[in-house]
Every structure is written in C-alpha cells, then in structure tokens.
Amino acid sequence: MKVAVVGATGYGSAELIRILHRHPYADLTQLISSSTAGGELKEVFPHLSHLSQPLEVWDGEALAEEVEAVFFAAPAGISSRLAPPLAERGVRVIDLAGDFRLEGEEYRKWYGAEPPAHPWLERAVYGLSEWSAPAIRQAELIANPGCYPTATLLALLPLLQAGSIADGPVTVDAKSGISGAGRGLKRTSLFAEVNENMFPYQVGVHRHTPEIEGHAARIGGRETQVIFIPQIVPMSRGILVTLYAPAATGWTGARVTEMVKEVYREAPFVRVRDQGAWPRTKDVQGSNFCDIGFHVDERTGMLVGMAAIDNLVKGAAGQAVQNLNLRMGWPETAGLDLLPQYP
C-alpha cells in the first residue's frame, strides 16, 4: 500500500520513516515538505544518507491519485485545510497534529485559531489505539492523540471505568524530553537552556488539558477535571506521567494493578508493571510500548498512577502506524515490533 508523509522534516517524521521503512505492508513513496522541497531526505537527516528519497512540494490532486494513505506531521493548522479533500477522495488520513482532536469552541479557546470545517470535526475519530479500535477500523480521518494525553489516558481510563478513584480533580505531573517541543529553533530548546535544568511551562494553559479531560469523559464515561503540569527535563526523548487522585473505598494497589492487567490483557503495546516495579523512560525508548504502574498510599488514601512512553513513537509516529494497521485490518504490531533501545 502506497503511503505519504506530509511535513517530512520533523522528529516525528523521522520516526515515521524509520517505522515505515521496515513495514511489511506499507510502501513510503512520497515525502512532502514545503520548506525543503527539491532537496533530498539525506540533506535533512544525515543518519538516513543511504535513502535517496526526494522531498516534494505539496500537490493534493497528484497525491490523491498516487497514494492510499497520508500521515500529516506538519504543524497545527495545516492538516485542517489539506486533509479533508484527501479524505473525501477515499485516501486514509492520519493527522499527528492537533487539528481534529477538539470540538470547535474548545479548539478556538486553546489553539487560538479557527477549527477545521465542522463536518470533519465530527467525522474524525480520536485514535487512542487501545480504546478506540472499533471506530478506527471504520475511520476516514484519524486524529492521532497528543503525546501527553496518550500516556495520561492509558493510565487514567481503566481507573475511571472501574471506579477506582473518588470524585475530585486529578493531578497530572508530566515530564518530557526536549524533542517534544519539535525541531524548530527556540530559546527554550537551546542546549544551554535545557542542560542541567528542569522547568514547567504552559501551566494551566496547555492545549493537551482539554484533550485529556474531553476524552476521559467520552471514553472513560466520567467527567474529570485535570490539573495538568507539563515540564521539560534534560533528555532528548521520553515522557513520564505521574497522576494523583483520591482512591475510592476498597481499592488497594494490588487490586488496581490486577484490574488494569486484565483491561490490557490483549493489548500488545501496554505493559503493566507488577507492584513495586515502576515505569522508566529508558525501558520504552525507541519502542511503541507504554509501561504503566500503580500504587495506593494507605496512609493518605491517594492513588498514584505512572506511565512511561517514548514521545516520538507511542506518543506520535508509532501510534499513527498502529492506527493505520487497525484501519487496514493488518496485524496491530506490523512494523512496530521494535525492541526498546538500551542503555
């Protein structure tokens, strides 16, 4: 099956290329980049110098004729304009930006821009692979979740569905490597700013807040307020999310762990840690795994959930390919049997 990547020069795109290069059913035939069109992939990514693929200019009509699926890895605001015409012509679209994750008013509030045309906001399927597979298999356009929401929701949704947490807001302490900020030049991404430093950002205003809350309610079946605190840590990649909520009566750490293990019993990419063994970003680096673990503190009555992912794989490119696999009826693990990199 012929596929293309639009916005082919970012970190997430590099992971898409790495995964699709070894995919047994997908053939990456076009790389679209408005900023570097006319050049070659090896000029943007020297580590891929053995691949002589050209970087091409956007041509929607030609793309619709030549490929069957398109991954949009461009900045927010681009896929909302370019993706719907492709989907209307039967091309499967998977959007790694945030253009189709929120409803119209929420999009305006949190993104500060106009949302996509209304019908496509309704028709887009939120692509949290482990929880939305039936809808993904029928989707015309898949909105790939953000990296923070992926880690947070994979730990939170089982708790909401099982009633493991009591009423009240959930605090989400989320730490990410700097690649989550993208490849663009900005002061807070400079080595001297990030090295030997940790800092929060967009406290109370991060656009992943409504994404977590909205899909916690839609998928988890319960309205949940989230206090979301994202932070940058001095590493290239990886996310560790720790969430805190009051435990419901009768729930112990062992009971929560066994319940979540049963929820994800057939999920190939979610690994639930035994009690006393906690997720680490190094254990999932370069892979599509999400490692999660739970603890109920009997002294304070608080339930603590932890999730670790590689923000560029399970948090972006890997989940996007997982969604293509689901959409096409291929094995869910096709192209994604990547062992974590260690050390």
Side-chain angles (χ1 to χ4, degrees), residues 10 118 217:
H118 181 65

Side-chain angles (χ1 to χ4, degrees), residues 15-193:
E15 286 298 285
L16 276 171
I17 294 165
R18 181 172 75 100
I19 294 167
L20 292 170
H21 182 67
R22 65 191 304 279
H23 199 287
Y25 309 117
D27 183 12
L28 180 57
T29 59
Q30 289 198 44
L31 297 172
I32 311 299
S33 172
S34 60
S35 61
T36 56
E40 289 192 9
L41 182 64
K42 62 184 178 182
E43 297 168 358
V44 177
F45 295 123
H47 71 292
L48 301 177
S49 60
H50 61 293
L51 302 178
S52 59
Q53 206 153 357
L55 298 168
E56 303 178 42
V57 69
W58 168 264
D59 184 337
E61 288 293 322
L63 202 61
E65 292 289 336
E66 294 170 15
V67 303
E68 298 166 82
V70 175
F71 295 92
F72 276 86
I78 294 176
S79 54
S80 61
R81 295 185 292 105
L82 303 183
L86 291 177
E88 288 168 0
R89 295 186 60 174
V91 179
R92 289 81 168 179
V93 172
I94 301 174
D95 181 33
L96 280 74
D99 287 14
F100 299 93
R101 296 175 189 159
L102 300 180
E103 295 179 352
E105 286 307 313
E106 292 233 301
Y107 188 93
R108 290 186 184 92
K109 175 182 176 181
W110 293 89
Y111 279 77
E114 283 300 304
H118 181 65
W120 282 102
L121 280 179
E122 290 186 346
R123 292 163 68 176
V125 170
Y126 189 66
L128 189 64
S129 305
E130 285 75 17
W131 289 86
S132 305
I136 291 169
R137 291 188 178 101
Q138 305 297 322
E140 302 164 286
L141 191 155
I142 298 168
N144 222 52
C147 51
Y148 284 131
T150 294
T152 301
L153 290 170
L154 286 175
L156 179 60
L157 289 175
L159 307 180
L160 294 177
Q161 284 204 336
S164 302
I165 55 179
D167 292 336
V170 175
T171 299
V172 178
D173 180 304
K175 296 176 173 65
S176 174
I178 192 61
S179 61
R183 207 179 183 196
L185 295 177
K186 43 182 99 66
R187 182 182 62 81
T188 52
S189 297
L190 297 174
F191 177 82
E193 301 284 341

